[in-house]
Amino acid sequence: LVSQQDERTEPLISPNLWEKLKKVEKPERKPLPKRAAYVSGTKDRLSNFYKNLPFFFNNRKYNSGEQAYQATKFEYHNRLDLLHTVMKRTNPGDMKNLGKSINVSDQWVTQDRYQVASDIIWTRIQQLPQVKRDLENTEDKEIIHDTRDPVWGAGRLTDHHYDGQNI
């Protein structure tokens, strides 16, 4: 989201926040843990992209964590047109791409999106025994979100290191 910001388009975040984020140093490369559980894609129940295990969040039924996240983001930013669109979508990748199409508030970028994502994860764990069991099966392993996303995932996995925040 942030790395694709440029002069040609209207900012997806405020110019003030964009300037602050540009000055932030690149994350330190972290070594991959010796014991890790890798999560990614539409076939891993711990992934936000896994679908076909419906759950309820904020009084609405969702088919994936990604759908719940994007719908909540659209509602938060009063984009009910996109909320209705994302509720009709079935592909989590399409949902994520739709989510990149709106201007988001600084409050969302710096704080609220993390709480929403956390709430969705815990809701899925509480409502879906299969997801809870998969989480328990990771035992004491560190969970690595195996995606190139620099915030939600491990970012680039190279030479037994990663540079993403892995949130």
Side-chain angles (χ1 to χ4, degrees):
L1 172 74
V2 173
S3 64
Q4 295 177 356
Q5 184 88 30
D6 64 29
E7 307 298 326
R8 298 173 295 142
T9 61
E10 181 181 329
L12 296 178
I13 58 177
S14 77
N16 185 30
L17 180 59
W18 175 240
E19 288 305 315
K20 286 181 189 176
L21 290 173
K22 283 193 332 188
K23 293 176 184 172
V24 173
E25 292 183 32
K26 290 187 177 184
E28 178 182 321
R29 289 185 47 176
K30 297 169 275 296
L32 288 171
K34 291 184 186 200
R35 292 181 42 82
Y38 293 89
V39 174
S40 70
T42 59
K43 296 181 180 176
D44 191 322
R45 285 190 291 250
L46 293 176
S47 171
N48 226 24
F49 274 38
Y50 189 85
K51 56 186 183 176
N52 300 326
L53 280 179
F55 67 99
F56 287 88
F57 181 72
N58 289 341
N59 299 314
R60 195 175 279 127
K61 184 178 178 180
Y62 296 103
N63 289 316
S64 70
E66 190 66 26
Q67 186 179 44
Y69 178 80
Q70 298 301 338
T72 303
K73 178 167 68 172
F74 296 143
E75 190 167 27
Y76 180 99
H77 290 94
N78 201 28
R79 289 299 307 268
L80 302 185
D81 57 326
L82 294 175
L83 168 63
H84 295 299
T85 300
V86 82
M87 293 306 294
K88 295 175 188 172
R89 298 273 169 100
T90 58
N91 182 304
D94 291 343
M95 295 170 196
K96 182 175 183 174
N97 288 334
L98 185 62
K100 294 177 181 180
S101 70
I102 69 166
N103 294 326
V104 293
S105 68
D106 293 356
Q107 178 72 21
W108 178 262
V109 171
T110 60
Q111 186 175 3
D112 292 339
R113 68 179 175 163
Y114 302 111
Q115 187 61 54
V116 168
S118 177
D119 290 349
I120 291 167
I121 291 166
W122 286 113
T123 299
R124 291 182 70 236
I125 291 166
Q126 290 170 343
Q127 292 181 24
L128 303 170
Q130 308 94 318
V131 173
K132 181 179 181 181
R133 188 171 43 255
D134 287 355
L135 180 62
E136 289 169 344
N137 288 339
T138 65
E139 299 170 340
D140 64 342
K141 297 174 187 162
E142 183 174 338
I143 297 173
I144 300 291
H145 189 191
D146 192 5
T147 175
R148 294 180 70 89
D149 188 298
V151 174
W152 302 113
R156 292 175 300 154
L157 296 173
T158 57
D159 196 28
H160 303 288
H161 287 76
Y162 67 97
D163 63 2
Q165 294 180 42
N166 199 44
I167 295 177

